[in-house]
Amino acid sequence: MGFALMSVIELVLVFSLSFFHGDEGVLSTLDGPFKPVTVPLDNSSRGKAVDLSDTDPVVQRVVEGFEPEQISLSLSATYDSVWISWITGEFHIGYNITSLDPKTVASVVQYGMYGLPITDEATGYSLVYNQLYPFECLQNYTSGIIHHVRLTGLMPDTLYQYQCGDPSISAMSDVYYFRTMPVSGPHSYPSRVAVVGDLGLTFNTTSTVDHMISNHPDLVLLVGDVSYANLYLTNGTGSDCYSCSFSQTPIHETYQPRWDYWGRYMQPLVSKVPIMVVEGNHEIEQQAENQTFVAYSSRFAFPSEESGSSSTFYYSFNAGGIHFIMLGAYISYNKPEDQYKWLERDLASVDREATPWLVAAWHPPWYSTYKAHYREAECMRVEMEDILYKYGVDIVFNGHVHAYERSNRVYNYTLDPCGPIYIVVGDGGNREKMAIAHADEAGNCPEPSTTPDEYMGGYCAFNFTSGPAEGKFCWDRQPDYSAYRESSFGHGILEVQNETHALWTWHRNKDMYNLAGDEIYIVRQPDRCPVESGDTTMGALLDQYLEETRKENAIYYISKKMFPYEEKYSPL
């Protein structure tokens, strides 16, 4: 019986995949490398780059007492576990603040498969963080109670329902839904992964999020710069350019309630679709005793421990046949340090039979041709590019530069058929200016001394020693490695179809929902570009076993594959 059902399912999968895309006119990376393209600037593309005000209804607190708000979902390292996070109680900001006691409210999630009674329960931990300043004139902040609960033992590719809160004081949320990731395997992938960077909380942000929702993502990847709370003073006064407007402040201030506004606005999406975040420079948020990144590390749950990391700045996870590596650009990345050692271990453990696709993400790009942040992360590239190339990373996602750019396959600034595709999506919608100037245009090449990242320090960006730009710090034309660039707000969608083909589309906010500003099939060539791969682990064998046993439920399986966005099954 199991064999017969599996045969029917395989036929259904072949049938559904054959009709999944009819984009015969879409080029693939096999057609490249492509001649560089720059789309002329559309002056209307900046849109309403103005922050939502604190009186906007979508950022208001609508719960009472200790009822949960800012509910969000994130993945663990594997499909059978997820994190549920939320906040209870109100934040306080002022000169004399008193922190809430996390022990006064329990961290409980009640959950179960969709369509069945909610009978399972998990408990987690809670915390409160402070943003404190050693100056009397600045207002301090203390958060509500932040809860993180990890659910384990989940089935793959299954719709679950859940409530979170504290049942002992009748402070539970409404019922929400989420779908687990599929098992890790060469024919098993989330349908759509949304990728966005530098999101913020502007009217452009709302357009970006609306467009993302219309694309029905199974997962959201946010590659740094989340709330932009650090564009504000502690009294709530904001600016497009902090250093321009507030150059005399004794410390770089931040208005922490913007984090709460962001969490409330995003809840309708991220309470149902998992979001995976990596830190950006706007999350630094220095405070007393030189503490940094406290809001970022406190508000989100990360699969750090599950993926062998000791830090919230770098971690990894699987989503079906994709292994994602999230790296920290604002923590030491040198070879003798912990992050690099962790990266070596993680890459060596990846089984490319189970997870053929290897995707990396961090905030500042290595390959961007815009004047803004030009070659700022060169020291990180020098330290880490070789190992990513050695293990055959397929795609790299970055933010930081407020524009869109897609590279040809590149390694060490040279076109290479086995190098990754680098994609910059720092155009999510923040209130800072759009990146427009290109470093290769006359008069735009920055002085080399101005390019090192201020936070990490170090200087590695010397003149090119070979190739068309030999002896120069910038090219005098759009570099060969830059395939497509455009200044416009938007987001991207990654649709992995099998072990060798993935469709990448970039969607501009100014377009209709169903249009793509840029699209290409990214094609892996494992025969041409062999890579080092980890051994099949017991975990991967277990995944295969569970995948086979799950196929016995043929009606459910077929309906999900044929109609993945049927209202009955879709979290959105």
Side-chain angles (χ1 to χ4, degrees):
M1 177 179 178
F3 178 82
L5 283 173
M6 184 170 64
S7 299
V8 171
I9 290 163
E10 296 300 328
L11 288 174
V12 170
L13 287 176
V14 171
F15 176 81
S16 61
L17 282 174
S18 67
F19 284 91
F20 194 69
H21 282 291
D23 307 318
E24 295 182 0
V26 178
L27 296 174
S28 82
T29 52
L30 298 180
D31 299 310
F34 300 100
K35 182 179 179 180
V37 171
T38 298
V39 176
L41 177 66
D42 179 355
N43 289 321
S44 68
S45 64
R46 180 163 168 75
K48 299 183 70 176
V50 177
D51 274 339
L52 300 183
S53 74
D54 54 10
T55 60
D56 194 295
V58 299
V59 305
Q60 295 299 300
R61 187 173 189 263
V62 295
V63 298
E64 297 181 356
F66 288 103
E67 294 176 352
E69 66 160 351
Q70 304 181 50
I71 301 168
S72 65
L73 175 73
S74 56
L75 299 179
S76 185
T78 52
Y79 72 85
D80 57 347
S81 178
V82 301
W83 286 93
I84 308 293
S85 303
W86 69 94
I87 293 180
T88 55
E90 298 188 58
F91 68 79
H92 293 95
I93 185 167
Y95 301 105
N96 296 299
I97 58 172
T98 301
S99 300
L100 296 173
D101 182 0
K103 297 179 181 179
T104 58
V105 184
S107 306
V108 178
V109 175
Q110 298 171 342
Y111 65 101
M113 288 186 185
Y114 175 76
L116 299 176
I118 296 179
T119 56
D120 295 317
E121 185 173 284
T123 59
Y125 67 95
S126 59
L127 61 100
V128 168
Y129 81 88
N130 299 317
Q131 185 78 18
L132 305 176
Y133 297 98
F135 304 99
E136 293 184 0
C137 59
L138 305 184
Q139 298 187 58
N140 295 318
Y141 170 95
T142 182
S143 71
I145 301 171
I146 302 172
H147 305 262
H148 299 300
V149 176
R150 185 183 173 204
L151 313 186
T152 59
L154 306 177
M155 293 295 293
D157 200 12
T158 300
L159 191 66
Y160 281 84
Q161 54 188 334
Y162 74 95
Q163 292 179 286
C164 59
D166 185 347
S168 68
I169 58 174
S170 299
M172 295 294 287
S173 71
D174 293 334
V175 176
Y176 293 90
Y177 304 88
F178 68 88
R179 183 177 293 282
T180 51
M181 290 292 107
V183 296
S184 296
H187 308 295
S188 178
Y189 300 96
S191 296
R192 293 176 178 88
V193 178
V195 187
V196 67
D198 303 67
L199 196 55
L201 189 57
T202 69
F203 289 97
N204 278 320
T205 305
T206 63
S207 295
T208 300
V209 173
D210 286 348
H211 277 66
M212 277 200 296
I213 291 175
S214 74
N215 277 321
H216 302 285
D218 300 306
L219 171 65
V220 176
L221 209 66
L222 176 50
V223 291
D225 285 359
V226 182
S227 72
Y228 285 81
N230 76 334
L231 290 183
Y232 287 77
L233 301 179
T234 62
N235 64 10
T237 302
S239 172
D240 290 356
C241 175
Y242 184 98
S243 60
C244 305
S245 301
F246 312 127
S247 58
Q248 302 303 314
T249 55
I251 191 174
H252 191 128
E253 301 174 36
T254 173
Y255 188 60
Q256 287 295 295
R258 297 297 303 182
W259 277 101
D260 295 283
Y261 302 162
W262 191 89
R264 291 166 186 164
Y265 170 73
M266 292 294 290
Q267 177 177 308
L269 173 62
V270 299
S271 60
K272 303 165 187 167
V273 177
I275 183 169
M276 306 303 288
V277 183
V278 71
E279 81 283 356
N281 59 298
H282 282 272
E283 279 72 72
I284 296 173
E285 297 186 311
Q286 183 183 0
Q287 58 170 298
E289 299 180 353
N290 291 320
Q291 291 192 73
T292 53
F293 297 99
V294 177
Y296 161 82
S297 296
S298 301
R299 289 177 177 268
F300 297 103
F302 306 92
S304 300
E305 182 178 351
E306 302 100 278
S307 60
S309 167
S310 59
S311 171
T312 60
F313 298 108
Y314 53 89
Y315 59 91
S316 66
F317 63 95
N318 289 340
I322 313 170
H323 185 72
F324 287 94
I325 298 174
M326 312 292 275
L327 297 177
Y330 302 100
I331 187 173
S332 180
Y333 37 68
N334 296 327
K335 290 182 175 65
E337 302 297 336
D338 289 344
Q339 179 176 203
Y340 192 93
K341 292 178 180 178
W342 169 85
L343 178 60
E344 281 187 305
R345 294 192 303 270
D346 190 82
L347 289 170
S349 69
V350 177
D351 177 10
R352 298 301 282 269
E353 294 295 323
T355 53
W357 287 86
L358 187 52
V359 176
W362 59 89
H363 188 57
W366 297 346
Y367 290 97
S368 168
T369 61
Y370 285 83
K371 180 180 179 180
H373 307 299
Y374 180 69
R375 300 181 71 183
E376 182 180 284
E378 189 74 356
C379 288
M380 185 183 183
R381 185 193 68 80
V382 170
E383 289 292 325
M384 289 186 161
E385 187 175 24
D386 285 349
I387 192 171
L388 297 187
Y389 181 82
K390 171 184 175 182
Y391 281 94
V393 168
D394 299 297
I395 308 171
V396 172
F397 291 115
N398 303 116
H400 201 40
V401 176
H402 300 161
Y404 172 74
E405 187 165 14
R406 170 175 54 83
S407 79
N408 286 305
R409 292 195 177 276
V410 60
Y411 169 63
N412 195 24
Y413 291 106
T414 304
L415 297 179
D416 189 312
C418 298
I421 299 290
Y422 289 82
I423 298 175
V424 179
V425 286
D427 58 342
N430 66 84
R431 69 179 290 175
E432 291 183 313
K433 291 182 173 64
M434 177 74 68
I436 295 173
H438 304 112
D440 48 87
E441 295 168 335
N444 284 342
C445 185
E447 287 293 324
S449 61
T450 66
T451 59
D453 169 61
E454 295 179 0
Y455 184 75
M456 289 304 296
Y459 183 79
C460 304
F462 299 99
N463 287 350
F464 294 103
T465 58
S466 61
E470 182 178 356
K472 302 175 183 177
F473 190 69
C474 303
W475 292 53
D476 57 7
R477 57 180 170 83
Q478 185 174 355
D480 293 340
Y481 59 79
S482 175
Y484 182 99
R485 63 188 183 187
E486 181 175 357
S487 297
S488 185
F489 287 112
H491 76 285
I493 295 289
L494 180 67
E495 301 174 69
V496 177
Q497 298 177 4
N498 54 45
E499 63 267 39
T500 58
H501 286 68
L503 178 65
W504 168 256
T505 54
W506 173 61
H507 300 263
R508 298 174 297 204
N509 289 357
K510 65 183 181 180
D511 294 333
M512 297 296 291
Y513 290 138
N514 60 343
L515 297 179
D518 181 38
E519 56 184 343
I520 190 169
Y521 281 101
I522 299 174
V523 182
R524 298 181 62 249
Q525 295 181 279
D527 294 336
R528 182 179 183 180
C529 304
V531 299
E532 295 200 19
S533 177
D535 295 329
T536 300
T537 63
M538 184 60 70
L541 292 172
L542 178 61
D543 284 351
Q544 294 171 16
Y545 169 77
L546 289 171
E547 182 180 27
E548 296 304 316
T549 57
R550 184 168 178 75
K551 287 177 179 177
E552 293 184 5
N553 190 346
I555 296 176
Y556 174 87
Y557 189 89
I558 293 173
S559 64
K560 171 63 176 69
K561 292 299 178 184
M562 291 296 291
F563 309 105
Y565 295 111
E566 183 178 348
E567 182 178 355
K568 178 180 178 181
Y569 293 104
S570 173
L572 291 176

